[in-house]
């Protein structure tokens, strides 16, 4: 069963731009066909694939490959994430990234307040200090015709869920037009929260398109 295709597009989506890769729907599990290396467009005129903005709705892992052409592969990302997490102290690891299960607990506290007996007072205190539940006024679900789901915000931005971080990083790195760590971090800060800078730095470092760019091709 494939999830419904979201019509949700951010206003900055480059809808007029039909990239080499065409429209890439992350929710459909479409196989990504990488452009051939001798293509006249690749790598010298890298088009930005049109990616969907990952949101907080429940994610079904696609059957096919999650790899997005021009970016680190999903497997590479998993290694990067592992490396990042093991570099942290044991105390910091559990909340360094917001996994789906942690997200669900946060959501429950925000919805039920102190009635949420499944959590400790300490956890509830942390949740109330860090997050709010908000009904999005625009962007999220605005085209589905359904009442929008409330979104968990930290610092006024939706929390990126660990299981979607690969797509979140590709999406923001694409909007930043492969613009390096600082530009990618700045783009991430506009759209999401809870994406660590060190993780972003490692991701950008592993990006094949950025590697080509760094090799000094003047067309970039
Ligand atoms: Zn890149």
């Amino acid at each position: 069963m494939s999830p419904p295709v979201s019509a949700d597009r951010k206003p900055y989506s480059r809808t007029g731009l039909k990239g080499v890769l065409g429209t890439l729907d992350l929710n459909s599990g479409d196989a990504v066909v990488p452009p051939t290396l001798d293509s006249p467009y690749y790598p010298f005129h890298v088009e930005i694939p049109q990616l969907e903005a990952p949101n907080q709705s429940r994610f079904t892992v696609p059957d096919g490959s999650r790899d997005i052409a021009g970016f680190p592969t999903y497997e590479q990302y998993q290694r990067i994430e592992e490396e990042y997490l093991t570099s942290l102290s044991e105390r910091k690891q559990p909340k360094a990234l917001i996994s789906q299960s942690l997200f669900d607990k946060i959501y429950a506290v925000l919805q039920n307040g102190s009635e949420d007996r499944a959590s400790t007072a300490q956890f509830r205190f942390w949740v109330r200090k860090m997050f709010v539940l908000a009904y999005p006024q625009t962007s999220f679900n605005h085209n589905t015709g359904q009442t929008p789901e409330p979104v968990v915000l930290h610092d006024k931005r939706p929390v990126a869920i660990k299981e979607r971080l690969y797509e979140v990083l590709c999406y923001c790195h694409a909007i930043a037009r492969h613009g390096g760590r600082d530009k990618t971090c700045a783009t991430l800060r506009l759209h999401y929260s809870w994406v660590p800078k060190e993780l972003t730095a490692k991701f950008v470092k592993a990006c094949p398109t950025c590697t080509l760019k760094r090799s000094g091709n003047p067309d970039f």
Side-chain angles (χ1 to χ4, degrees), residues 173 178 207 209-210:
H173 190 48
H178 291 276
C207 176
T209 305
C210 289

Side-chain angles (χ1 to χ4, degrees), residues 99-114:
S99 66
Q100 183 69 60
S101 63
L102 180 56
F103 179 85
D104 291 344
K105 286 176 194 153
I106 292 168
Y107 195 98
V109 170
L110 292 172
Q111 238 182 1
N112 307 326
S114 50

